[in-house]
Amino acid sequence: MIIELDCGNSFIKWRIIDAASQVLLSGVVGSTEELVRALEGARVSHELYHCRMVSVRSDEETACLEQCLAQKFGLRVLTARPASCLAGVRNGYVNYESLGLDRWMAVIAAYHLSAGACLVLDLGTAVTADFVAANGDHKGGFICPGLPLLRSQLRTHTRRIHYDAVASNQFMAEPLAPGRSTAEAVERGCALMLKGFVRSQVELAMAYWGDDYEVFLTGGDASVVADVLPRVRVVPDLIFIGLAIACPISS
């Protein structure tokens, strides 16, 4: 079986797949210790042979995780690395090594799936947008705070804004009418900011390519903006698809 890891700034997403890329188990953890416990539980019913990983954490943190997996499970970890060109996509950053590897994996996956021009939107702790032309040229992209960061900034810097996660989920599920409480106003205001950002990315993609492009949407808050996109492919595992292309494993 193959372990795949997406090590973000806040969480580690993991899944175990078979040789046919069928997902057998998956989860999200907050630390290396939690990951080890989850994989120890998974090892009871699944033999773990290979591991591949994409990480946006520091080189030191990533190396420590690789070492931990090697010691605990005897795994050699294939880790995605920066590249100026991969799978037909030319990295658009002036310094290609500075493009976040999670974004790079998502871009590689989207271009592979579309075989043409595409807009890639990842809505997580941060929100990213990337543009890839039909010839594989990555034109660059944009980064802005996601809903978790927008909420936390308001709570941190505004004394009277306090409410819990339950209220947050409740008000996000309701129509985006003007809020009649602080929690409603914050949640709906942040959602509108996010929708406005997404609309602006679609407008830019249309300016580049007219209607001849695809939109790929991934990340935990994808459902918040799906309704404002004229056409969209929601692909929750987009980064893992790119990781498989960047780090192929032969039996």
Side-chain angles (χ1 to χ4, degrees):
M1 304 302 168
I2 300 171
I3 303 169
E4 295 185 322
L5 303 174
D6 173 10
C7 304
N9 292 303
S10 303
F11 301 101
I12 300 173
K13 299 175 185 175
W14 64 272
R15 69 180 194 175
I16 296 174
I17 63 173
D18 61 17
S21 297
Q22 181 73 30
V23 179
L24 305 176
L25 289 172
S26 64
V28 179
V29 295
S31 67
T32 298
E33 293 74 19
E34 291 179 21
L35 176 64
V36 168
R37 288 196 294 271
L39 294 181
E40 284 176 339
R43 186 167 57 176
V44 173
S45 54
H46 301 284
E47 294 186 69
L48 309 178
Y49 295 115
H50 306 286
C51 181
R52 56 188 168 213
M53 171 173 69
V54 56
S55 174
V56 298
R57 301 185 175 195
S58 69
D59 292 341
E60 293 77 12
E61 288 178 291
T62 301
C64 284
L65 180 53
E66 290 174 345
Q67 184 178 19
C68 177
L69 292 169
Q71 291 175 346
K72 294 284 187 181
F73 305 101
L75 295 168
R76 183 176 71 88
V77 183
L78 294 178
T79 303
R81 304 296 182 192
S84 59
C85 184
L86 178 63
V89 181
R90 286 169 292 281
N91 193 314
Y93 263 30
V94 174
N95 175 11
Y96 73 86
E97 294 181 331
S98 66
L99 177 64
L101 281 168
D102 52 350
R103 288 173 62 193
W104 183 228
M105 294 300 99
V107 162
I108 294 300
Y111 187 72
H112 170 76
L113 294 173
S114 68
C118 52
L119 165 61
V120 187
L121 298 166
D122 189 344
L123 278 67
T125 303
V127 172
T128 62
D130 284 280
F131 298 78
V132 187
N135 65 357
D137 282 340
H138 172 230
K139 301 178 74 67
F142 299 92
I143 305 173
C144 72
L147 289 178
L149 288 177
L150 290 172
R151 291 186 191 109
S152 67
Q153 286 298 300
L154 281 170
R155 290 170 178 166
T156 299
H157 298 289
T158 309
R159 293 183 179 180
R160 292 183 178 273
I161 293 181
H162 300 287
Y163 59 94
D164 59 26
V166 174
S168 169
N169 294 332
Q170 172 189 349
F171 297 133
M172 283 299 294
E174 296 179 10
L176 291 177
R180 301 187 64 176
S181 70
T182 298
E184 283 184 345
V186 168
E187 289 302 317
R188 296 175 185 180
C190 289
L192 283 173
M193 288 187 70
L194 194 57
K195 288 171 184 278
F197 174 81
V198 167
R199 287 191 184 98
S200 72
Q201 304 311 293
V202 171
E203 290 172 0
L204 184 54
M206 292 180 68
Y208 283 141
W209 305 307
D211 290 328
D212 192 17
Y213 72 97
E214 286 195 73
V215 181
F216 289 86
L217 185 59
T218 192
D221 286 320
S223 61
V224 176
V225 303
D227 64 314
V228 303
L229 293 167
R231 59 186 189 275
V232 63
R233 292 176 66 174
V234 179
V235 187
D237 295 329
L238 193 63
I239 289 174
F240 283 133
I241 294 171
L243 178 60
I245 295 170
C247 299
I249 293 173
S250 56
S251 301

